[in-house]
Amino acid sequence: CSSDLELYLSHKVCNLPLATLNELSDWLIKIYGKYCIEDSQFEAFYQLMTHDKKNEGTRVNFTLIPSVGEVAINQNCDKKLIFEALDYYKSLIN
């Protein structure tokens, strides 16, 4: 689940191409399967993310990929975008 979220955030923040997002998301689901999540769980997921060691103060940071083989560290994502990424993942499993 977290990898698909990070792929979506990579698309939105670092301009990972949509085709790459879709291809890698499909591949990850084939390997790791699908996990059912509900909107009511989004806040709990977000709260867990706020405790990650990559964060700085109140900033929720991610390591994202602008393209395959490249990384962009400490990419800040706000709560609204994280919830959007959770919605994206939810759409993959329905």
Side-chain angles (χ1 to χ4, degrees):
C1 173
S2 65
S3 295
D4 285 302
L5 297 177
E6 290 166 332
L7 285 171
Y8 181 82
L9 294 172
S10 294
H11 170 65
K12 298 299 277 189
V13 174
C14 298
N15 298 314
L16 178 72
L18 181 60
T20 304
L21 164 66
N22 292 331
E23 182 181 343
L24 293 175
S25 290
D26 289 344
W27 180 76
L28 286 169
I29 287 175
K30 285 178 187 171
I31 291 175
Y32 296 107
K34 301 174 184 180
Y35 299 93
C36 183
I37 61 172
E38 301 295 329
D39 292 353
S40 60
Q41 297 172 296
F42 286 12
E43 184 64 35
F45 287 137
Y46 178 77
Q47 289 305 315
L48 288 171
M49 290 177 204
T50 65
H51 299 288
D52 191 276
K53 64 184 176 192
K54 292 184 294 294
N55 296 342
E56 298 171 351
T58 59
R59 293 173 42 125
V60 179
N61 289 328
F62 294 86
T63 298
L64 303 177
I65 57 170
S67 63
V68 175
E70 294 181 26
V71 295
I73 60 171
N74 294 330
Q75 300 299 302
N76 179 252
C77 298
D78 65 20
K79 186 175 185 177
K80 180 180 176 189
L81 186 56
I82 292 168
F83 277 37
E84 189 177 311
L86 288 164
D87 274 329
Y88 167 77
Y89 178 75
K90 196 173 145 189
S91 75
L92 294 174
I93 61 170
N94 291 332

